[in-house]
Coordinates of all heavy atoms in Angstrom, one line a residue:
M1 N -207.9 -59.2 79.3 CA -207.1 -58.0 79.3 C -206.2 -57.9 78.1 O -205.6 -58.9 77.7 CB -206.2 -58.1 80.6 CG -207.0 -58.1 81.9 SD -207.8 -56.6 82.2 CE -206.6 -55.6 83.1
V2 N -206.1 -56.8 77.6 CA -205.2 -56.5 76.5 C -204.2 -55.4 77.0 O -204.6 -54.4 77.6 CB -206.0 -55.9 75.3 CG1 -205.1 -55.5 74.2 CG2 -207.0 -57.0 75.0
L3 N -202.9 -55.5 76.7 CA -202.0 -54.4 76.9 C -201.8 -53.7 75.7 O -201.5 -54.1 74.6 CB -200.6 -55.1 77.3 CG -199.5 -54.0 77.4 CD1 -199.8 -53.1 78.7 CD2 -198.2 -54.8 77.7
V4 N -202.1 -52.3 75.8 CA -202.0 -51.4 74.7 C -200.9 -50.4 75.1 O -200.8 -49.9 76.1 CB -203.3 -50.6 74.4 CG1 -203.1 -49.6 73.4 CG2 -204.4 -51.6 74.2
V5 N -200.0 -50.3 74.1 CA -198.9 -49.2 74.3 C -199.0 -48.2 73.3 O -198.9 -48.4 72.1 CB -197.5 -49.9 74.3 CG1 -196.4 -48.9 74.5 CG2 -197.3 -51.0 75.2
I6 N -199.4 -47.1 73.8 CA -199.5 -45.9 72.8 C -198.2 -45.2 72.6 O -197.6 -44.8 73.6 CB -200.5 -45.0 73.4 CG1 -201.9 -45.6 73.7 CG2 -200.8 -43.7 72.5 CD1 -202.7 -46.1 72.5
E7 N -197.8 -45.1 71.4 CA -196.6 -44.3 71.1 C -196.9 -42.9 70.7 O -197.6 -42.7 69.6 CB -195.8 -45.0 70.0 CG -194.6 -44.3 69.4 CD -193.5 -44.0 70.4 OE1 -193.0 -44.9 71.0 OE2 -193.4 -42.7 70.7
A8 N -196.7 -42.0 71.6 CA -197.2 -40.6 71.3 C -196.0 -39.6 71.1 O -196.2 -38.4 71.4 CB -198.0 -40.2 72.5
G9 N -194.9 -40.1 70.7 CA -193.8 -39.2 70.4 C -194.2 -38.2 69.4 O -194.7 -38.5 68.3
G10 N -193.9 -37.0 69.6 CA -194.2 -35.8 68.6 C -195.6 -35.4 68.6 O -196.0 -34.5 67.8
V11 N -196.5 -36.0 69.4 CA -197.9 -35.6 69.5 C -198.0 -34.3 70.4 O -197.4 -34.2 71.4 CB -198.7 -36.8 70.1 CG1 -200.2 -36.4 70.4 CG2 -198.6 -38.0 69.2
P12 N -198.8 -33.4 69.9 CA -199.0 -32.2 70.7 C -199.6 -32.4 72.0 O -200.3 -33.4 72.2 CB -200.0 -31.3 69.8 CG -200.0 -31.9 68.5 CD -199.6 -33.3 68.6
A13 N -199.3 -31.7 73.0 CA -199.7 -31.7 74.4 C -201.3 -31.7 74.3 O -201.9 -30.9 73.6 CB -199.2 -30.8 75.3
G14 N -201.9 -32.5 75.2 CA -203.4 -32.5 75.2 C -203.9 -33.8 75.7 O -203.1 -34.7 76.1
E15 N -205.2 -33.9 75.8 CA -205.9 -35.1 76.2 C -206.5 -35.8 75.0 O -207.3 -35.0 74.3 CB -206.9 -34.9 77.3 CG -207.5 -36.2 77.8 CD -208.4 -35.9 79.1 OE1 -208.0 -35.2 79.9 OE2 -209.5 -36.6 79.2
Y16 N -206.4 -37.0 74.8 CA -206.9 -37.8 73.7 C -207.7 -39.0 74.2 O -207.4 -39.5 75.3 CB -205.7 -38.3 72.8 CG -204.9 -37.2 72.3 CD1 -203.7 -36.7 73.0 CD2 -205.1 -36.6 71.2 CE1 -203.0 -35.8 72.5 CE2 -204.3 -35.6 70.6 CZ -203.3 -35.2 71.3 OH -202.5 -34.1 70.8
T17 N -208.7 -39.3 73.4 CA -209.6 -40.5 73.8 C -209.1 -41.6 72.9 O -209.2 -41.5 71.6 CB -211.0 -40.1 73.6 OG1 -211.4 -39.1 74.4 CG2 -211.9 -41.3 73.9
I18 N -208.8 -42.8 73.5 CA -208.4 -43.9 72.8 C -209.5 -45.0 72.9 O -210.1 -45.2 74.0 CB -207.0 -44.5 73.3 CG1 -205.9 -43.4 73.3 CG2 -206.6 -45.8 72.6 CD1 -205.6 -42.9 71.9
H19 N -209.8 -45.7 71.8 CA -210.8 -46.7 71.8 C -210.1 -48.1 71.4 O -209.3 -48.1 70.5 CB -211.8 -46.4 70.7 CG -212.4 -45.0 70.8 ND1 -213.3 -44.7 71.8 CD2 -212.2 -43.9 70.0 CE1 -213.6 -43.4 71.6 NE2 -212.9 -43.0 70.6
V20 N -210.4 -49.2 72.2 CA -210.0 -50.5 71.8 C -211.3 -51.2 71.4 O -212.2 -51.4 72.2 CB -209.3 -51.2 73.0 CG1 -208.8 -52.5 72.6 CG2 -208.1 -50.4 73.4
D21 N -211.4 -51.7 70.2 CA -212.5 -52.4 69.8 C -212.3 -53.9 69.4 O -211.2 -54.1 68.8 CB -213.2 -51.7 68.5 CG -213.6 -50.3 68.8 OD1 -214.4 -50.2 69.8 OD2 -213.3 -49.4 68.1
L22 N -213.2 -54.7 69.6 CA -213.1 -56.1 69.2 C -214.3 -56.4 68.1 O -215.4 -56.0 68.5 CB -213.3 -57.1 70.4 CG -213.2 -58.6 69.9 CD1 -211.9 -59.0 69.3 CD2 -213.5 -59.4 71.1
H23 N -213.9 -56.8 67.0 CA -214.9 -57.1 65.9 C -215.0 -58.6 65.7 O -213.9 -59.3 65.6 CB -214.6 -56.3 64.6 CG -214.6 -54.9 64.8 ND1 -215.7 -54.1 64.6 CD2 -213.5 -54.1 65.2 CE1 -215.4 -52.8 64.8 NE2 -214.1 -52.8 65.2
D24 N -216.1 -59.1 65.6 CA -216.3 -60.6 65.2 C -216.0 -60.8 63.7 O -215.7 -59.8 63.0 CB -217.7 -61.1 65.6 CG -218.8 -60.5 64.8 OD1 -218.6 -59.8 63.7 OD2 -219.9 -60.7 65.2
P25 N -216.0 -62.1 63.3 CA -215.6 -62.4 61.8 C -216.5 -61.7 60.9 O -216.1 -61.4 59.8 CB -215.7 -63.9 61.9 CG -215.5 -64.3 63.2 CD -216.1 -63.3 64.1
A26 N -217.8 -61.3 61.2 CA -218.7 -60.6 60.3 C -218.3 -59.1 60.3 O -219.0 -58.4 59.5 CB -220.1 -60.8 60.7
G27 N -217.5 -58.6 61.2 CA -217.2 -57.3 61.2 C -218.0 -56.4 62.2 O -217.8 -55.2 62.3
T28 N -218.8 -57.1 62.9 CA -219.6 -56.4 63.9 C -218.9 -56.1 65.2 O -218.2 -57.0 65.8 CB -220.9 -57.3 64.3 OG1 -221.6 -57.5 63.1 CG2 -221.8 -56.6 65.3
R29 N -218.9 -55.0 65.7 CA -218.2 -54.6 66.9 C -218.9 -55.4 68.1 O -220.2 -55.0 68.3 CB -218.1 -53.1 67.2 CG -217.3 -52.8 68.4 CD -217.1 -51.3 68.6 NE -218.3 -50.7 69.0 CZ -218.6 -49.4 68.8 NH1 -217.7 -48.6 68.3 NH2 -219.8 -48.9 69.3
V30 N -218.2 -56.1 68.9 CA -218.8 -56.9 69.9 C -218.3 -56.3 71.4 O -218.9 -56.7 72.3 CB -218.6 -58.4 69.9 CG1 -219.1 -59.0 68.7 CG2 -217.0 -58.6 69.9
S31 N -217.4 -55.5 71.4 CA -216.9 -54.9 72.6 C -216.1 -53.6 72.4 O -215.4 -53.5 71.3 CB -216.0 -55.9 73.4 OG -215.6 -55.4 74.6
R32 N -216.1 -52.7 73.2 CA -215.4 -51.5 73.2 C -214.9 -51.0 74.5 O -215.8 -51.0 75.5 CB -216.2 -50.4 72.5 CG -215.4 -49.0 72.5 CD -216.1 -48.0 71.8 NE -215.4 -47.8 70.5 CZ -215.5 -46.7 69.7 NH1 -216.3 -45.8 70.0 NH2 -214.9 -46.7 68.6
A33 N -213.7 -50.6 74.7 CA -213.2 -50.0 75.9 C -212.6 -48.7 75.5 O -212.0 -48.5 74.4 CB -212.2 -50.9 76.5
T34 N -212.8 -47.7 76.2 CA -212.4 -46.3 76.0 C -211.6 -45.8 77.2 O -212.1 -46.0 78.3 CB -213.5 -45.4 75.7 OG1 -214.2 -45.9 74.5 CG2 -213.1 -44.0 75.4
F35 N -210.4 -45.1 76.9 CA -209.7 -44.6 78.0 C -209.0 -43.3 77.6 O -208.7 -43.1 76.3 CB -208.6 -45.6 78.6 CG -207.6 -46.0 77.6 CD1 -206.4 -45.4 77.5 CD2 -207.9 -47.1 76.8 CE1 -205.4 -45.9 76.6 CE2 -206.9 -47.6 76.0 CZ -205.8 -46.9 75.8
P36 N -208.7 -42.4 78.4 CA -208.0 -41.1 78.1 C -206.5 -41.3 78.2 O -206.0 -42.1 78.9 CB -208.4 -40.1 79.1 CG -208.6 -41.0 80.4 CD -209.2 -42.2 79.8
V37 N -205.8 -40.6 77.3 CA -204.4 -40.5 77.3 C -204.0 -39.0 77.4 O -204.5 -38.2 76.5 CB -203.8 -41.1 76.0 CG1 -202.2 -40.7 75.9 CG2 -204.0 -42.7 76.0
V38 N -203.2 -38.6 78.4 CA -202.9 -37.3 78.6 C -201.4 -37.1 78.2 O -200.5 -37.8 78.8 CB -203.1 -36.8 80.0 CG1 -202.6 -35.4 80.2 CG2 -204.6 -37.0 80.4
V39 N -201.1 -36.2 77.2 CA -199.7 -36.0 76.8 C -199.4 -34.6 77.4 O -200.1 -33.6 77.0 CB -199.6 -35.9 75.3 CG1 -198.1 -35.5 74.9 CG2 -200.0 -37.2 74.7
E40 N -198.5 -34.6 78.3 CA -198.2 -33.4 79.1 C -197.1 -32.6 78.5 O -197.1 -31.3 78.6 CB -197.9 -33.6 80.5 CG -199.1 -34.2 81.3 CD -198.8 -34.6 82.7 OE1 -197.7 -34.6 83.1 OE2 -199.7 -34.9 83.5
E41 N -196.2 -33.3 77.8 CA -195.0 -32.7 77.3 C -194.6 -33.4 75.9 O -194.6 -34.6 75.9 CB -193.9 -32.8 78.3 CG -192.7 -32.0 78.0 CD -191.6 -32.1 79.1 OE1 -192.1 -32.1 80.2 OE2 -190.5 -32.3 78.8
V42 N -194.4 -32.6 74.9 CA -194.0 -33.2 73.6 C -192.6 -33.7 73.8 O -191.8 -33.1 74.3 CB -194.1 -32.1 72.5 CG1 -193.6 -32.7 71.2 CG2 -195.6 -31.6 72.4
G43 N -192.4 -34.9 73.2 CA -191.1 -35.5 73.3 C -190.9 -36.4 72.1 O -191.8 -36.8 71.4
A44 N -189.6 -36.8 71.8 CA -189.3 -37.6 70.6 C -189.8 -39.0 70.9 O -190.2 -39.8 70.0 CB -187.8 -37.7 70.4
V45 N -189.7 -39.5 72.1 CA -190.1 -40.8 72.5 C -191.1 -40.7 73.8 O -190.7 -40.2 74.7 CB -189.0 -41.8 72.9 CG1 -189.5 -43.1 73.3 CG2 -188.1 -41.9 71.6
L46 N -192.4 -41.3 73.5 CA -193.3 -41.2 74.5 C -194.2 -42.4 74.5 O -195.1 -42.4 73.7 CB -194.1 -39.9 74.6 CG -195.2 -39.8 75.7 CD1 -194.5 -39.8 77.1 CD2 -196.0 -38.4 75.5
R47 N -193.9 -43.4 75.3 CA -194.7 -44.6 75.3 C -195.5 -44.7 76.5 O -195.0 -44.6 77.6 CB -193.8 -45.8 75.2 CG -193.1 -45.9 73.9 CD -192.2 -47.1 73.6 NE -191.6 -47.2 72.4 CZ -190.3 -46.8 72.2 NH1 -189.6 -46.4 73.1 NH2 -189.9 -46.7 70.9
L48 N -196.8 -44.9 76.3 CA -197.8 -45.0 77.4 C -198.5 -46.3 77.5 O -199.4 -46.5 76.6 CB -198.8 -43.8 77.2 CG -198.2 -42.4 77.1 CD1 -199.2 -41.4 76.6 CD2 -197.6 -41.9 78.4
P49 N -198.2 -47.1 78.4 CA -198.8 -48.5 78.5 C -200.1 -48.3 79.2 O -200.3 -47.5 80.2 CB -197.7 -49.3 79.3 CG -197.0 -48.4 80.0 CD -196.9 -47.1 79.2
Q50 N -201.1 -49.2 78.8 CA -202.4 -49.2 79.4 C -202.9 -50.7 79.4 O -203.0 -51.2 78.3 CB -203.3 -48.2 78.7 CG -204.8 -48.2 79.2 CD -204.9 -47.4 80.5 OE1 -204.2 -46.3 80.7 NE2 -205.7 -47.8 81.4
L51 N -203.4 -51.1 80.5 CA -204.1 -52.5 80.5 C -205.5 -52.1 80.3 O -206.2 -51.3 81.0 CB -203.9 -53.2 81.8 CG -202.7 -54.0 82.0 CD1 -202.6 -54.6 83.4 CD2 -202.6 -55.2 80.9
V52 N -206.2 -52.9 79.3 CA -207.6 -52.6 78.9 C -208.3 -54.0 79.1 O -207.9 -54.9 78.6 CB -207.6 -52.2 77.5 CG1 -209.0 -51.9 77.1 CG2 -206.8 -50.9 77.3
A53 N -209.4 -53.8 79.9 CA -210.3 -55.0 80.0 C -211.4 -54.8 79.0 O -212.2 -53.8 78.9 CB -211.0 -55.0 81.3
L54 N -211.6 -55.8 78.2 CA -212.6 -55.9 77.1 C -213.7 -56.9 77.6 O -213.3 -58.0 78.0 CB -212.1 -56.4 75.7 CG -211.4 -55.3 74.9 CD1 -210.8 -56.0 73.7 CD2 -212.3 -54.2 74.5
D55 N -214.9 -56.5 77.7 CA -216.0 -57.3 78.1 C -216.6 -57.9 77.0 O -217.5 -57.4 76.2 CB -217.1 -56.4 78.9 CG -218.2 -57.2 79.4 OD1 -217.9 -58.5 79.6 OD2 -219.3 -56.7 79.7
A56 N -216.1 -59.1 76.7 CA -216.5 -59.9 75.4 C -216.5 -61.3 75.7 O -215.6 -61.9 76.4 CB -215.7 -59.4 74.2
E57 N -217.4 -62.0 75.0 CA -217.3 -63.5 74.9 C -216.9 -63.9 73.5 O -217.3 -63.3 72.5 CB -218.6 -64.1 75.3 CG -219.0 -63.9 76.7 CD -220.3 -64.6 76.9 OE1 -220.6 -65.7 76.4 OE2 -221.1 -64.0 77.7
W58 N -216.1 -64.9 73.3 CA -215.7 -65.4 72.1 C -216.7 -66.4 71.7 O -216.7 -67.6 72.0 CB -214.3 -66.0 72.1 CG -213.3 -65.1 72.6 CD1 -212.8 -65.0 73.9 CD2 -212.5 -64.1 71.8 NE1 -211.9 -64.0 73.9 CE2 -211.6 -63.5 72.7 CE3 -212.5 -63.9 70.4 CZ2 -210.9 -62.5 72.2 CZ3 -211.7 -62.9 70.0 CH2 -210.8 -62.2 70.9
K59 N -217.8 -65.9 71.1 CA -219.0 -66.8 70.7 C -218.8 -67.5 69.5 O -219.5 -68.6 69.3 CB -220.3 -65.8 70.6 CG -220.6 -65.2 71.9 CD -221.9 -64.4 71.7 CE -222.3 -63.8 73.1 NZ -223.5 -63.0 73.0
E60 N -217.9 -67.3 68.6 CA -217.7 -68.0 67.4 C -216.3 -68.0 67.0 O -215.5 -67.2 67.4 CB -218.6 -67.3 66.2 CG -218.2 -66.0 65.9 CD -219.2 -65.4 64.8 OE1 -219.2 -65.8 63.7 OE2 -219.9 -64.4 65.2
S61 N -215.9 -69.1 66.3 CA -214.5 -69.2 65.8 C -214.4 -68.4 64.5 O -215.3 -68.0 63.9 CB -214.1 -70.7 65.6 OG -215.1 -71.3 64.7
G62 N -213.2 -68.1 64.2 CA -212.8 -67.3 63.0 C -211.9 -66.2 63.3 O -211.3 -66.1 64.4
R63 N -211.8 -65.3 62.3 CA -210.9 -64.2 62.4 C -211.5 -63.0 63.0 O -212.5 -62.5 62.3 CB -210.3 -63.9 61.0 CG -209.5 -65.0 60.4 CD -209.1 -64.7 59.0 NE -208.4 -65.9 58.4 CZ -207.2 -66.2 58.5 NH1 -206.3 -65.4 59.1 NH2 -206.8 -67.3 57.8
H64 N -211.2 -62.6 64.1 CA -211.6 -61.4 64.8 C -210.6 -60.3 64.6 O -209.4 -60.6 64.4 CB -211.8 -61.7 66.3 CG -212.9 -62.6 66.6 ND1 -212.8 -64.1 66.3 CD2 -214.1 -62.5 67.2 CE1 -213.8 -64.7 66.6 NE2 -214.7 -63.8 67.3
A65 N -211.0 -59.1 64.7 CA -210.1 -57.9 64.6 C -210.1 -57.1 65.9 O -211.2 -56.8 66.5 CB -210.5 -57.0 63.4
L66 N -209.0 -56.8 66.4 CA -208.8 -56.0 67.6 C -208.1 -54.7 67.1 O -207.0 -54.7 66.4 CB -207.8 -56.7 68.5 CG -207.6 -56.0 69.9 CD1 -208.9 -56.0 70.6 CD2 -206.6 -56.7 70.7
T67 N -208.8 -53.6 67.2 CA -208.4 -52.3 66.7 C -208.2 -51.4 67.8 O -208.9 -51.3 68.7 CB -209.3 -51.7 65.6 OG1 -210.6 -51.4 66.1 CG2 -209.4 -52.8 64.4
V68 N -207.3 -50.4 67.6 CA -207.0 -49.3 68.5 C -207.1 -48.0 67.7 O -206.6 -47.9 66.6 CB -205.6 -49.3 69.2 CG1 -205.4 -48.2 70.1 CG2 -205.5 -50.7 69.9
S69 N -207.9 -47.1 68.1 CA -208.2 -45.9 67.4 C -208.4 -44.7 68.4 O -208.5 -44.8 69.6 CB -209.4 -46.0 66.5 OG -210.6 -46.2 67.3
S70 N -208.2 -43.5 67.7 CA -208.5 -42.3 68.4 C -209.6 -41.6 67.7 O -210.1 -42.1 66.7 CB -207.3 -41.3 68.5 OG -207.0 -40.7 67.3
D71 N -210.1 -40.5 68.1 CA -211.2 -39.7 67.4 C -210.6 -39.3 66.0 O -211.3 -38.9 65.1 CB -211.6 -38.5 68.2 CG -212.4 -39.1 69.4 OD1 -212.9 -40.3 69.4 OD2 -212.5 -38.3 70.4
L72 N -209.3 -39.4 65.8 CA -208.7 -38.9 64.5 C -208.6 -40.0 63.5 O -208.3 -39.8 62.4 CB -207.3 -38.3 64.9 CG -207.3 -37.0 65.7 CD1 -205.9 -36.7 66.1 CD2 -208.1 -36.0 65.2
G73 N -208.7 -41.3 64.0 CA -208.6 -42.4 63.1 C -208.0 -43.6 63.7 O -207.6 -43.6 64.8
E74 N -207.9 -44.7 62.9 CA -207.2 -46.0 63.4 C -205.8 -45.9 63.7 O -205.1 -45.3 62.8 CB -207.5 -47.0 62.4 CG -207.1 -48.4 62.9 CD -207.6 -49.6 62.0 OE1 -208.7 -49.7 61.7 OE2 -206.6 -50.3 61.5
L75 N -205.3 -46.3 64.7 CA -203.8 -46.3 65.2 C -203.2 -47.6 64.8 O -202.1 -47.7 64.5 CB -203.7 -45.9 66.6 CG -204.3 -44.5 67.0 CD1 -204.3 -44.4 68.5 CD2 -203.6 -43.5 66.3
A76 N -204.0 -48.8 65.2 CA -203.4 -50.2 65.0 C -204.5 -51.1 64.9 O -205.6 -50.9 65.3 CB -202.4 -50.4 66.1
S77 N -204.1 -52.2 64.3 CA -205.1 -53.4 64.2 C -204.3 -54.7 64.2 O -203.2 -54.8 63.6 CB -205.9 -53.2 62.9 OG -206.9 -54.3 62.8
V78 N -205.0 -55.6 64.9 CA -204.3 -57.0 64.8 C -205.4 -58.1 64.7 O -206.6 -57.8 65.2 CB -203.5 -57.2 66.1 CG1 -204.3 -57.3 67.3 CG2 -202.7 -58.4 66.0
E79 N -205.2 -59.1 63.9 CA -206.1 -60.1 63.7 C -205.9 -61.2 64.8 O -204.8 -61.6 65.2 CB -205.9 -60.8 62.4 CG -206.8 -61.8 61.9 CD -206.5 -62.3 60.5 OE1 -205.8 -63.3 60.4 OE2 -207.2 -61.7 59.7
V80 N -206.9 -61.6 65.4 CA -207.0 -62.7 66.3 C -207.8 -63.9 65.8 O -208.9 -63.7 65.5 CB -207.6 -62.2 67.7 CG1 -207.6 -63.4 68.7 CG2 -206.9 -61.0 68.2
V81 N -207.2 -65.1 65.7 CA -207.9 -66.2 65.1 C -208.4 -67.1 66.3 O -207.6 -67.5 67.2 CB -207.0 -67.1 64.3 CG1 -207.7 -68.3 63.7 CG2 -206.5 -66.2 63.1
V82 N -209.7 -67.3 66.4 CA -210.3 -68.1 67.4 C -210.6 -69.5 66.8 O -211.4 -69.5 65.8 CB -211.5 -67.4 68.1 CG1 -212.1 -68.3 69.1 CG2 -211.1 -66.1 68.6
R83 N -210.2 -70.5 67.4 CA -210.5 -71.8 67.0 C -211.4 -72.5 67.9 O -211.2 -72.3 69.1 CB -209.2 -72.7 66.7 CG -208.4 -72.0 65.6 CD -207.3 -73.0 65.1 NE -206.8 -72.5 63.8 CZ -205.6 -72.0 63.7 NH1 -204.8 -72.1 64.8 NH2 -205.1 -71.6 62.7
P84 N -212.2 -73.5 67.5 CA -213.1 -74.2 68.4 C -212.2 -75.1 69.3 O -211.1 -75.5 68.8 CB -214.0 -75.0 67.5 CG -213.4 -75.0 66.2 CD -212.5 -73.8 66.1
P85 N -212.6 -75.4 70.5 CA -211.8 -76.4 71.4 C -211.7 -77.7 70.7 O -212.5 -78.2 69.9 CB -212.6 -76.5 72.6 CG -213.9 -75.8 72.4 CD -213.8 -75.1 71.1
A86 N -210.6 -78.3 71.0 CA -210.2 -79.7 70.4 C -211.1 -80.7 71.0 O -211.5 -80.6 72.2 CB -208.7 -80.0 70.7
A87 N -211.7 -81.5 70.2 CA -212.7 -82.6 70.7 C -212.0 -83.6 71.5 O -210.7 -83.9 71.3 CB -213.3 -83.2 69.5

């Protein structure tokens, strides 16, 4: 599970599609979760938390990328380093 907090302050009212993607070290997308965000009223501060379940296995160690985007472009990205279990 991943907690995503969408900051939608100043965004026009409407429904938006948000994508959460996990990419392996080679840059291949290995999982995607998509959910709608509805902005009913424009405001200076509007934070919308969403728990997202990504259906993925960590098959290899290395630097993975977790990105959040809408149909308009990338909103955020974070690097996740996966290390092999200690022997």
Side-chain angles (χ1 to χ4, degrees):
M1 296 293 271
V2 176
L3 175 64
V4 176
V5 179
I6 303 297
E7 173 58 64
V11 173
E15 184 170 322
Y16 300 88
T17 301
I18 303 298
H19 311 284
V20 179
D21 295 312
L22 177 65
H23 298 268
D24 67 13
T28 303
R29 185 173 72 201
V30 295
S31 184
R32 172 175 261 199
T34 300
F35 61 93
V37 168
V38 178
V39 176
E40 295 177 353
E41 189 175 318
V42 178
V45 176
L46 179 59
R47 293 187 179 97
L48 305 166
Q50 178 75 36
L51 272 176
V52 179
L54 283 174
D55 183 23
E57 292 183 37
W58 301 94
K59 294 183 179 181
E60 58 185 298
S61 57
R63 299 175 186 272
H64 293 66
L66 185 65
T67 60
V68 179
S69 62
S70 73
D71 292 335
L72 302 175
E74 187 174 299
L75 302 172
S77 180
V78 66
E79 184 177 87
V80 179
V81 178
V82 177
R83 295 197 169 109

